[in-house]
Amino acid sequence: MDIIIKKPTEAEKSKMLSCPTWECEASEFNWRYDSEETCLLVEGEVEVKHAGGSAFCKAGDMVTFPEGLSCVWKVTKPVKKHYIFK
């Protein structure tokens, strides 16, 4: 299961900015994705550890997490993101 990290196009960014927002202070927690999530990080940094390794995400990144992914979120700088589940 691959986590996809990319720089969004202006159209993608505009679409994501209308999606719900989630915020989290520096912390570490387990998470499982029951459906695919795409998010746009507008603030912060996070390391997502999973069976296949680690993904490092930061403000400005658009990230897609696959359905079924079990991971540990390590928020190193407070995060604010817009997200959508498919």
Side-chain angles (χ1 to χ4, degrees):
M1 289 185 197
D2 291 334
I3 296 172
I4 300 167
I5 302 170
K6 68 176 198 166
K7 294 297 177 194
T9 64
E10 286 303 314
E12 289 170 328
K13 190 175 180 180
S14 179
K15 178 183 175 185
M16 290 303 297
L17 290 175
S18 67
C19 293
T21 303
W22 179 82
E23 297 183 47
C24 182
E25 294 298 319
S27 59
E28 188 169 326
F29 57 91
N30 295 324
W31 192 255
R32 177 167 164 51
Y33 288 89
D34 293 328
S35 58
E36 181 181 282
E37 177 189 353
T38 298
C39 66
L40 174 66
L41 270 72
V42 292
E43 295 176 9
E45 292 180 357
V46 62
E47 177 183 5
V48 181
K49 301 175 190 176
H50 55 97
S54 293
F56 298 90
C57 315
K58 62 186 180 313
D61 288 343
M62 186 172 208
V63 187
T64 300
F65 299 98
E67 178 179 354
L69 177 71
S70 291
C71 57
V72 176
W73 270 60
K74 183 176 181 182
V75 180
T76 54
K77 292 185 181 177
V79 166
K80 179 178 180 181
K81 69 175 184 173
H82 292 277
Y83 66 93
I84 188 168
F85 287 99
K86 292 186 180 181

